[in-house]
Amino acid sequence: MDFQAFLITLREALEAILIVGLILSYLTRLDAKKYHPWVYAGVFFALLSSFGVALLFQVIFTGFASFGSEVYLKIGILFASVILLSHMVMWMKKESKNVNGDMQKKINAAVTAGSVTALILHTYLIVLREGVETVFFFAAISGGDIQEVFTSYGALSGLMLALILGYLFFTGTMKFSLKTFFRVTGVLIMFIAAGLLVQGVGMLQDLGKMGSVYETVQGTPKAVYNIVEIMPEHYQDEMHFERDTGNDVMISGQIGLFMAAMFGYSHNPTVEQIAAYWLYFAFIIGANMLHAKEFTLFRRKKSKAVDQTVA
């Protein structure tokens, strides 16, 4: 969970920091530094709102737990997080080329109109979006215990590294490829999303809300294979195996727990879990290839239009 929290916090926080940094830099270029305090005000209010969302979310989850229905909320959070994580990665890849231009248009309009409110609102919504997404993802990886993730060294380390990278990037102290950074973290986040999808499918099958094409004689989903003796997906599974057989596992359950959280590993998956995992990646890769093809066609049409205009 700590590495998941680290990666999600790093990614979300750095996105917000970079966009806010671009706003501040552009205002400086426009000789409009007087608006900087209002940008900071938007960031401050967005952070307060994000913490408010986290508290509200915890209260709602506690309410569901009191009625014994928290498992259904967990499943909903898992599937919603898969969609949001996938959208986050694909949105950043699609919009990263245009985010600076779009942002400059909005800032120009706000400065021209002298609208402090518009500037605060623009900054507020940008940071709030990242904050709310982070709260939602924390709920997914922690099973609803958001406070535990907020206080983990993974989330704190991710935030600190994001602040450091943002500072070094805008001061010119260190240059690094943002495209490469978001590409690498995007791949890792897709693994997290696939793992959450597998967890959600497994929970539905455990509850009997989802059947299987491969079942036991009792009519319950049957594992395609079971390699618990090689690497259990949790240290409790390791203890149970050693207690029942008297043998040691090959790889610790602590490592299996990390692999389960980070890559969706399971030592005894069902057919549906395996299918969901690989179909997810097939869908993401297919969507990215389609987007790349559309972008190439758009550039060709634009280039052709320019050539015709010049001619």
Side-chain angles (χ1 to χ4, degrees):
M1 183 184 71
D2 285 316
F3 187 75
Q4 288 175 296
F6 167 79
L7 187 62
I8 289 172
T9 306
L10 174 62
R11 171 91 183 204
E12 294 284 346
L14 188 59
E15 280 188 25
I17 290 169
L18 290 175
I19 295 176
V20 171
L22 288 172
I23 292 174
L24 293 172
S25 299
Y26 190 62
L27 286 173
T28 300
R29 284 170 52 191
L30 293 176
D31 196 24
K33 282 188 175 182
K34 63 181 181 179
Y35 290 105
H36 281 195
W38 301 110
V39 174
Y40 293 128
V43 172
F44 176 74
F45 288 125
L47 291 175
L48 282 182
S49 298
S50 298
F51 278 111
V53 170
L55 291 174
L56 179 62
F57 203 100
Q58 196 69 59
V59 170
I60 293 174
F61 188 85
T62 302
F64 270 81
S66 65
F67 289 103
S69 304
E70 74 275 11
V71 65
Y72 296 103
L73 180 59
K74 288 181 182 179
I75 293 172
I77 292 171
L78 286 173
F79 288 132
S81 295
V82 171
I83 296 172
L84 288 175
L85 283 168
S86 305
H87 177 266
M88 178 182 73
V89 173
M90 297 180 71
W91 178 88
M92 194 62 190
K93 183 176 181 179
K94 180 180 179 181
E95 301 295 334
S96 57
K97 301 178 183 66
N98 304 319
V99 65
N100 194 20
D102 293 341
M103 178 270 298
Q104 288 181 2
K105 290 179 182 178
K106 293 177 181 179
I107 299 303
N108 273 330
V111 172
T112 301
S115 176
V116 171
T117 303
L119 198 57
I120 293 177
L121 184 60
H122 180 56
T123 308
Y124 172 82
L125 291 176
I126 288 172
V127 179
L128 180 64
R129 184 193 68 197
E130 306 297 340
V132 172
E133 285 182 352
T134 302
V135 170
F136 211 89
F137 300 150
F138 280 2
I141 65 175
S142 66
D145 193 354
I146 302 174
Q147 183 178 356
E148 180 184 354
V149 189
F150 268 120
T151 56
S152 70
Y153 70 84
L156 296 175
S157 300
L159 178 59
M160 291 302 299
L161 183 57
L163 290 169
I164 292 171
L165 289 176
Y167 174 79
L168 294 177
F169 181 79
F170 283 108
T171 58
T173 306
M174 181 179 73
K175 294 183 179 180
F176 58 93
S177 173
L178 291 176
K179 183 178 181 180
T180 301
F181 170 82
F182 285 117
R183 181 179 297 168
V184 172
T185 56
V187 170
L188 293 175
I189 284 175
M190 283 192 293
F191 275 108
I192 292 177
L196 294 177
L197 178 61
V198 169
Q199 289 181 39
V201 171
M203 291 176 72
L204 283 176
Q205 291 183 320
D206 290 340
L207 289 171
K209 301 298 182 181
M210 181 178 181
S212 176
V213 297
Y214 185 50
E215 297 181 338
T216 64
V217 293
Q218 290 81 21
T220 58
K222 186 177 181 180
V224 177
Y225 56 81
N226 192 333
I227 54 173
V228 63
E229 70 277 5
I230 297 177
M231 185 171 69
E233 64 187 72
H234 199 279
Y235 54 85
Q236 290 182 352
D237 296 309
E238 176 182 356
M239 290 189 296
H240 292 162
F241 175 80
E242 293 177 348
R243 180 198 62 194
D244 296 338
T245 66
N247 299 323
D248 293 332
V249 298
M250 187 178 298
I251 302 175
S252 170
Q254 295 285 1
I255 297 176
L257 180 61
F258 170 79
M259 295 296 290
M262 190 63 216
F263 300 107
Y265 167 76
S266 174
H267 65 253
N268 59 342
T270 63
V271 170
E272 288 70 27
Q273 286 178 305
I274 295 174
Y277 191 81
W278 292 110
L279 285 174
Y280 171 79
F281 282 107
F283 172 78
I284 292 296
I285 292 172
N288 282 330
M289 290 176 63
L290 180 62
H291 169 259
K293 184 177 180 180
E294 290 177 348
F295 182 71
T296 301
L297 291 174
F298 172 77
R299 290 189 64 180
R300 286 178 181 174
K301 289 180 180 179
K302 187 175 181 181
S303 177
K304 186 177 180 181
V306 171
D307 293 340
Q308 291 176 345
T309 302
V310 172

